[in-house]
């Protein structure tokens, strides 16, 4: 690891006391809600204690750099022996060109896909600095891919989270335990659903800064967060790595980059030197230890005079029997035998609406005992545009004390039909549970005219008023409901009439049935103008909607009455 990051000690952060002072000084420029205690540590209140969504973290709460940004100085500092001046912090403010471009492109994409999130690219830069030192100082090729993989430590429970292998080593090369991967340090199980193609090459590569930056942006913007709100920003950062110290460090770099930064050539960025496990930062692979020089064998001392002249060595004590290693206690995930439904009701919603019911499961041992603190992943599967609240198709929730995990609310899209919500245990090969969800077309159960004006016309004329109706469903506005309108023969015969009032199509031709009609956002439907042929009488216009709502409207065609003087 030292071969990749060296031992550069940044001025102002070489000791714990100086680092604490740096944090205290930076706190004065932090966003509202960030304060410091009497030791110079930043705090953000109870909202920063956890993500609040129960879905673990993007990184597995693994290693990160703890170097703080330098204290900004309003004056230039002279370089020793040169007489030249360089603004304080200039080197640390520089971000490698390709890495900076990736952050800014991710911000631009999210402005379109999730405008309410208000993600600043400086947040991605702050996280990238803390996670990998901006891809090891920008050691990336022209496409943004790192020259060698950036891997965090094994998540084997030794100082970090315990996450057994979830990708058969596909991303991290480790088939025993997961390791955080790439410049934004995603664990494989998170990258599997959160990964994005940020550079348009058709692949989702966690070691590509464009892909990783865009994925990080979407990850931070989950749950309809608005990152311009301090509490929401704190939750997003803690959701990335659930540590108060991590939050403080990222906020410090965010504020620092907001004050100004500049582009430096790829591969020339400054490298952090301290991490939260007091070792070097993430590296492609552990550096091999040099072979130890064997010690020469001990020589026996000659016997003292008068001891009988014996030169034989004294017998060595028998070697001690090594103690067997203590067995690793099973994690809660290791004890899960199966998933059980936890009272999920029928999942049905109309297009565009939120489902009333949520998917809920329970993790249990073989004996049927509930297992808490287990990650359950809910995935939307099938040809659908339905999502969970926040626009994602995957959600990971940690089971509560009763072993229960409840998925976020489902939001139906415009595609109708069935799709599947699949629940699986993260890090454990047990059978998942599938739930069928159904999206139906919007429907109405009531139609009513918005006007009581009688609809009359003379033969060969046109009706003065257009027919307008309002659709409701369970007393609520029914928007987007499909409808048809037909001039029928009689109340008992819904066959299209071949005489009487009519509509005109786009070519001016006579039509007496209108299809593919839809109510607007207010549940209103206004029909085109009606005309009358030469047949007098009372005719019926029948309007029907999806859901069974119908309304029959009378149309009267009669010669104009004349009055005798």
């Amino acid at each position: 690891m030292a071969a990749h990051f060296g031992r550069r000690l940044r001025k102002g952060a070489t000791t714990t006391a100086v680092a604490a002072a740096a944090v205290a000084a930076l706190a004065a420029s932090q966003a509202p809600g960030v304060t410091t205690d009497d030791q110079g540590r930043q705090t953000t209140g109870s909202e920063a204690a956890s993500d609040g969504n129960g879905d673990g973290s993007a990184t597995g709460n693994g290693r990160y750099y703890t170097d703080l940004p330098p204290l900004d100085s309003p004056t230039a500092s002279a370089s020793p022996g040169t007489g030249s001046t360089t603004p304080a912090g200039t080197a640390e403010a520089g971000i490698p060109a390709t890495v900076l471009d990736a952050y800014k492109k991710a911000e631009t994409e999210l402005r379109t896909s999730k405008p309410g999130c208000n993600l600043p690219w400086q947040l991605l830069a702050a996280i990238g600095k803390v996670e990998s030192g901006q891809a090891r100082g920008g050691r990336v090729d022209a496409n943004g891919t790192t020259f060698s993989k950036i891997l965090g430590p094994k998540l084997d429970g030794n100082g970090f989270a315990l996450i057994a292998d979830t990708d058969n080593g596909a991303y991290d090369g480790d088939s025993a335990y997961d390791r955080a991967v790439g410049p934004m340090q995603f664990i494989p199980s998170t990258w599997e659903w959160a990964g994005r193609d940020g550079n348009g090459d058709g692949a989702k590569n966690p070691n590509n800064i464009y892909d990783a930056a865009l994925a990080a942006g979407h990850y931070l913007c989950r749950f309809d967060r608005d990152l311009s709100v301090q509490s929401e920003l704190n939750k997003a950062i803690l959701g990335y790595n659930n540590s108060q110290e991590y939050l403080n460090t990222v906020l410090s770099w965010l504020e620092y980059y907001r004050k100004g930064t500049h582009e430096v050539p790829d591969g020339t960025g400054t490298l952090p030197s301290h991490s939260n496990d007091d070792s070097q930062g993430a590296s492609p692979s552990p550096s091999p230890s040099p072979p130890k020089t064997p010690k020469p064998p001990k020589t026996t001392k000659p016997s003292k005079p008068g001891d009988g002249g014996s030169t034989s060595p004294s017998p060595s004590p028998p070697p001690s029997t090594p103690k067997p290693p203590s067995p690793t206690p099973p994690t809660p995930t290791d004890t899960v035998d199966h998933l059980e439904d936890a009272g999920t009701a029928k999942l049905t919603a109309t297009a565009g609406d939120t489902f009333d019911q949520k998917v809920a499961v329970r993790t249990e041992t073989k004996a049927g005992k509930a297992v808490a603190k287990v990650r359950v992943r809910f995935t939307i599967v099938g040809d659908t545009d339905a999502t969970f609240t926040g626009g994602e198709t995957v959600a990971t929730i940690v089971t509560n004390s009763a072993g229960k995990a409840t998925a976020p609310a489902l939001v139906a899209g415009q595609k109708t039909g069935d799709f599947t919500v699949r629940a699986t245990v993260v890090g454990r090969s047990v059978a998942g549970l599938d739930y069928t969800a159904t999206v139906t077309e919007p429907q109405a159960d009531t139609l009513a005219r918005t006007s009581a004006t009688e609809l009359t016309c003379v033969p060969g004329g046109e009706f003065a008023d257009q027919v307008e109706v309002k659709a409701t469903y369970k007393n609520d506005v029914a928007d987007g409901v499909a409808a048809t309108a037909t001039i029928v023969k009689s109340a008992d015969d819904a066959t299209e009439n071949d005489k009487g009032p009519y509509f005109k199509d786009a070519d001016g031709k006579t039509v007496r049935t209108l299809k593919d009609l839809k109510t607007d956002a207010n549940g209103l439907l206004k029909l085109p103008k009606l005309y009358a042929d030469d047949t007098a009488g009372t005719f019926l216009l029948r309007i029907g909607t999806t859901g069974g709502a119908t309304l029959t409207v009378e149309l009267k065609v009669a010669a104009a009455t004349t009055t005798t003087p």
Side-chain angles (χ1 to χ4, degrees), residues 94-101 133-134 137-139 262-269:
I95 299 177
T98 300
V99 178
L100 181 59
D101 184 58
Q134 310 297 20
R139 294 184 65 238
H262 60 275
E263 177 184 297
V264 299
D266 290 346
T268 66

Side-chain angles (χ1 to χ4, degrees), residues 506-528:
D507 298 325
K509 295 180 180 178
T510 297
V511 292
R512 291 189 170 88
T513 298
L514 298 176
K515 298 180 180 180
D516 301 323
L517 304 172
K518 277 194 175 182
T519 59
D520 65 14
N522 297 313
L524 298 175
L525 173 62
K526 192 169 188 176
L527 299 182

Side-chain angles (χ1 to χ4, degrees), residues 200-432:
D201 64 356
K204 299 176 183 177
N205 181 2
N207 287 292
N208 181 279
I209 186 59
Y210 288 99
D211 295 357
L214 184 58
H218 277 277
Y219 188 91
L220 293 163
C221 287
R222 295 174 305 154
F223 309 113
D224 285 333
R225 290 187 180 119
D226 179 357
L227 301 186
S228 65
V229 178
Q230 186 66 39
S231 61
E232 294 291 289
L233 174 65
N234 293 346
K235 288 179 182 179
I237 297 171
L238 287 167
Y240 208 89
N241 191 315
N242 192 10
S243 160
Q244 183 70 31
E245 188 176 334
Y246 180 87
L247 171 67
N248 296 341
T249 306
V250 170
L251 287 175
S252 296
W253 281 105
L254 170 60
E255 182 65 17
Y256 182 72
Y257 285 136
R258 276 175 166 163
K259 291 177 180 177
T261 186
H262 60 275
E263 177 184 297
V264 299
D266 290 346
T268 66
T270 59
L271 303 176
S273 56
H274 301 94
S275 64
N276 60 323
D277 66 342
D278 294 324
S279 65
Q280 299 304 307
S283 67
S285 60
S287 302
S289 301
K292 294 181 179 179
T293 304
K295 294 181 179 180
K298 292 183 179 180
T299 56
T300 59
K301 295 181 179 180
S303 59
K304 295 179 181 179
D307 65 355
S310 171
T311 59
S312 352
S314 301
S316 301
S320 58
T321 304
K323 294 182 180 180
S326 301
T328 303
T331 66
T333 301
D334 293 333
T335 66
V336 175
D337 176 75
H338 59 274
L339 282 171
E340 284 287 337
D341 177 60
T344 304
K346 187 177 180 181
L347 301 168
T348 303
T350 56
D353 289 347
T354 299
F355 284 72
D356 292 333
Q357 303 297 327
K358 296 180 180 180
V359 177
V361 299
R362 187 170 55 253
T363 51
E364 294 184 352
T365 64
K366 192 172 184 178
K369 183 179 178 181
V371 185
K373 297 182 179 179
V374 173
R375 294 197 303 160
V376 176
R377 179 174 298 139
F378 298 94
T379 307
I380 295 174
V381 181
D383 182 18
T384 180
D385 54 355
T387 65
F388 292 114
T389 301
E392 302 294 342
T393 57
V394 178
T396 305
I397 305 296
V398 176
T399 56
N400 61 17
S401 59
K404 183 178 179 181
T406 303
L410 284 164
V411 179
Q414 295 305 311
K415 287 186 178 179
T416 60
D418 294 343
F419 65 91
T420 299
V421 179
R422 181 166 297 154
T424 56
V425 178
V426 176
R428 183 75 170 159
S429 296
V430 298

